[in-house]
Amino acid sequence: MATIATGSVPRLRRGVRLTYDKTRETHVLLFPEGVLVPNPTAAAVLELCDGTSDVSVIANALRERYAGVREEEILEVLSRLGDRRIVEWT
């Protein structure tokens, strides 16, 4: 995997979709290998992975909604999701 930094631009991999499941009342990630229920923090990050916004832009958007957002934590979440082949970097 490539080294990711605050200037890296994440997006959902082809075939991966983040959607809201009304029955479960939570976000779910649908992908060819299965279904993943991200925690609310990961869901908030994933909603902003549009392939045009870099990590610093995502962090700033999240700071408008939540207190204490750190870019390092966003990179950590995205790195784990990248390892699971849910996000990729453009």
Side-chain angles (χ1 to χ4, degrees):
M1 185 181 89
T3 302
I4 58 172
T6 57
S8 299
V9 179
R11 69 174 177 203
L12 296 178
R13 285 177 102 41
R14 186 174 165 199
V16 177
R17 186 169 52 115
L18 178 68
T19 189
Y20 188 79
D21 185 326
K22 292 178 185 177
T23 303
R24 293 180 181 144
E25 297 183 347
T26 190
H27 283 92
V28 293
L29 275 166
L30 306 173
F31 52 103
E33 295 84 17
V35 176
L36 177 70
V37 180
N39 66 34
T41 303
V45 171
L46 287 165
E47 286 179 314
L48 299 169
C49 292
D50 57 9
T52 61
S53 301
D54 66 24
V55 174
S56 62
V57 170
I58 291 170
N60 287 333
L62 291 172
R63 283 186 190 109
E64 292 177 10
R65 294 170 32 190
Y66 308 104
V69 173
R70 294 179 32 222
E71 289 177 3
E72 297 83 18
E73 291 172 344
I74 294 170
L75 287 168
E76 214 174 281
V77 167
L78 290 171
S79 178
R80 286 194 310 267
L81 292 168
D83 291 344
R84 294 195 68 181
R85 299 185 42 86
I86 291 169
V87 296
E88 63 185 4
W89 306 94
T90 59

